[in-house]
């Protein structure tokens, strides 16, 4: 069995528990737990003085995902929970390492064994100099790097030590005494972006900004609406990470329903403007969801069931708004189908990869806003006819090139 050991004991410079410091929408200890899950750990042990608050939330989250969780006040229970043949993965209190760097250290592709090792850093490294109590000296030239993978057998000896001893420090010494090999971290692996010790609010905020900047997609001004939605998402991070998709998605549907009602009662320009704002809200919702998934290193960002349902509803309501923009209720005009048809052609054109046509066609908020301006000047039928013909020609030319 793979077992992870983390701790929620040490405090930041401001006096808060390091493990509870917020970092890009989740606590520091939740980031550690996510790393352990990525290493396919089946049981997580957490050393904590008072197993409540953040630790209790982590327990509920892990147990709901099928991972065993034990909050421990001291080291006395560890020998009973770790068998000799187990692999024990230990992270320093408050350390948030890059999962890719850790994976490179310990190996362990799917179903492959972890490489047992003690990560080390040079004695003259700034982390070792500034935090000798976190990155312990192990010999004259090296300090512990904050990550350790060892056999479970040496952990049985913890029963020989006082109950109030530092479990992590003891396990580090026992791992070295049992011959666990060391792996020195390269300088490029020890930059703040990949090896964060959450010892202060300022440190976590800097790391948070770096994570968001790295995860956010570059703005593509060929699609100005999507670029503005991305800017809005980045401006609202990290506060909007949890509730942002729900709030933006709900607002989008309300605005689109308002657009349908306005267009149905003969206010075509207003209805299309509301629809454009609603689709923009949906783009913001997708942006929050995609950025959150990327930060958490989850696959399939923006392709889950909620995202697909929101996209389908937005397309349906936008098409109905365009229909009523040409033929308000209860008027019936067969040629009003031109509105939904032009919108559907834009959806098809958006699937053309990274081309100028695909980028512009994917920005349906800007498209609806342009059509709203055309409706305000009484030119909506003409604009839709030109749009449909232009999209048909572009799609035919693209098909001929393929």
């Amino acid at each position: 069995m793979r077992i992870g050991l983390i701790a929620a004991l040490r405090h930041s410079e401001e006096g808060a528990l390091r493990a509870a410091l917020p970092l890009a929408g989740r606590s520091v200890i939740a980031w550690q737990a996510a790393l352990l899950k990525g290493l396919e750990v089946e049981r997580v042990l957490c050393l904590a003085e008072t197993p409540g608050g953040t630790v209790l939330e982590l327990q509920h989250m892990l147990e709901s995902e099928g991972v065993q969780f034990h909050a421990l006040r001291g080291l006395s229970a560890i020998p009973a929970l770790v068998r000799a043949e187990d692999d024990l993965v230990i992270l320093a209190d408050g350390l948030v390492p890059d999962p890719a760097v850790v994976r490179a250290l310990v190996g362990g592709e799917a179903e492959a064994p972890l490489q047992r090792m003690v990560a080390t850093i040079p004695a003259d490294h700034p982390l070792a100099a500034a935090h000798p109590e976190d990155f312990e000296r192990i010999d004259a030239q090296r300090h512990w790097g904050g990550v350790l993978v060892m056999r479970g057998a040496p952990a049985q000896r913890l029963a020989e030590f006082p109950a109030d001893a530092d479990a992590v420090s003891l396990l580090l010494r026992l791992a070295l005494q049992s011959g666990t090999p060391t792996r020195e971290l390269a300088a490029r692996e020890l930059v703040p972006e990949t090896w964060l010790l959450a010892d202060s609010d300022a440190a976590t905020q800097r790391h948070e900004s770096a994570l968001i900047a790295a995860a956010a997609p570059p703005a593509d001004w060929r699609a100005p609406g999507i670029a503005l939605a991305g800017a809005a998402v980045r401006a609202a991070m990290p506060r909007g990470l949890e509730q942002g998709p729900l709030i933006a998605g709900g607002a989008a549907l309300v605005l689109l329903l308002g657009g349908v009602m306005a267009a149905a009662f003969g206010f075509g320009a207003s209805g299309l403007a509301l629809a454009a704002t609603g689709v923009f809200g949906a783009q913001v919702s997708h942006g929050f969801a995609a950025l959150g998934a990327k930060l958490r290193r989850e696959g399939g960002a923006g392709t889950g069931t909620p995202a697909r349902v929101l996209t389908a509803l937005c397309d349906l309501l936008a098409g109905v708004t365009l229909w009523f923009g040409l033929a308000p209720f209860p008027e019936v005009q067969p040629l009003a189908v031109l509105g939904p048809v032009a919108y559907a052609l834009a959806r098809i054109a958006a699937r053309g990869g990274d081309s100028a046509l695909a980028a512009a066609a994917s920005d349906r908020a800007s498209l609806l806003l342009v059509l709203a301006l055309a409706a305000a000047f009484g030119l909506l039928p003409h604009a839709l006819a030109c749009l449909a013909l232009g999209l048909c020609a572009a799609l035919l030319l693209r098909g001929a090139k393929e």
Side-chain angles (χ1 to χ4, degrees):
M1 176 182 284
R2 293 182 183 179
I3 300 174
L5 176 64
I6 51 181
L9 298 171
R10 299 192 175 182
H11 294 79
S12 68
E13 294 175 358
E14 295 79 14
L17 200 63
R18 285 182 183 177
L21 290 177
L23 176 65
R26 56 166 62 159
S27 63
V28 165
I29 200 169
W31 280 96
Q32 291 185 321
L35 189 155
L36 293 175
K37 274 196 62 187
L39 296 176
E40 300 181 1
V41 162
E42 302 167 65
R43 176 183 293 164
V44 173
L45 311 180
C46 180
L47 297 166
E49 292 178 354
T50 54
T54 302
V55 175
L56 188 60
E57 291 175 8
L58 180 65
Q59 178 177 358
H60 292 160
M61 182 192 74
L62 288 175
E63 290 180 344
S64 69
E65 296 171 351
V67 179
Q68 300 176 35
F69 184 89
H70 299 270
L72 311 176
R73 292 181 182 272
L75 55 79
S76 58
I78 294 178
L81 294 168
V82 180
R83 297 172 299 181
E85 65 272 18
D86 291 337
D87 284 323
L88 184 59
V89 184
I90 302 173
L91 300 178
D93 193 340
L95 179 69
V96 184
D98 189 320
V101 176
V102 174
R103 176 66 72 180
L105 286 171
V106 305
E109 297 292 335
E111 301 182 2
L114 296 178
Q115 297 178 17
R116 291 161 181 158
M117 60 89 217
V118 178
T120 66
I121 59 177
D124 59 354
H125 191 276
L127 281 174
H131 306 283
E133 69 284 359
D134 293 292
F135 303 99
E136 293 186 42
R137 181 182 290 276
I138 59 175
D139 58 31
Q141 289 81 33
R142 297 174 300 171
H143 286 238
W144 181 41
V147 178
L148 162 64
V149 181
M150 62 183 289
R151 291 179 62 244
Q156 304 300 313
R157 294 183 54 193
L158 289 178
E160 305 170 9
F161 296 91
D164 59 350
D166 186 332
V168 173
S169 179
L170 287 173
L171 286 167
L172 172 62
R173 300 299 164 183
L174 291 170
L176 292 168
Q177 289 172 15
S178 65
T180 304
T182 59
R183 293 282 301 276
E184 184 167 349
L185 291 163
R188 59 183 174 78
E189 296 169 334
L190 285 171
V191 294
E193 292 79 11
T194 59
W195 216 257
L196 167 71
L197 181 67
D199 62 329
S200 67
D201 289 336
T204 55
Q205 287 169 7
R206 286 194 300 269
H207 192 70
E208 180 178 81
S209 298
L211 283 173
I212 292 171
D220 185 352
W221 292 104
R222 296 175 301 179
I226 295 176
L228 288 172
V233 168
R234 290 190 293 273
M237 292 292 285
R239 299 180 304 277
L241 192 57
E242 295 299 324
Q243 298 300 321
L246 181 62
I247 294 172
L253 293 177
V254 170
L255 288 164
L256 280 158
L257 286 170
V260 170
M261 296 297 293
F265 286 105
F267 302 100
S270 299
L272 288 169
L274 285 170
T277 310
V279 171
F280 178 80
Q283 291 171 345
V284 171
S285 177
H286 290 322
F288 275 123
L291 185 54
K294 194 168 182 181
L295 283 171
R296 297 184 176 102
R297 299 174 176 88
E298 299 168 350
T303 60
T305 299
R308 290 196 298 269
V309 170
L310 179 61
T311 298
L313 288 174
C314 288
D315 288 344
L316 174 63
L317 293 173
V320 172
T321 304
L322 285 165
W323 179 290
F324 283 137
L326 292 172
F329 184 82
E331 184 178 347
V332 177
Q333 289 187 17
L335 290 180
V337 75
L338 178 62
V341 166
Y343 191 86
L345 288 171
R347 289 281 284 129
I348 295 170
R351 300 172 184 169
D354 187 23
S355 64
L357 173 64
S362 66
D363 186 5
R364 287 177 287 282
S366 297
L367 173 64
L368 287 170
L369 186 60
V370 170
L371 293 174
L373 291 172
F377 290 99
L379 298 174
L380 180 60
H382 308 79
L384 284 170
C386 292
L387 175 65
L389 284 172
L391 288 171
C392 282
L395 288 170
L396 288 170
L397 287 172
R398 189 170 73 188
K401 290 179 181 179
E402 294 173 355

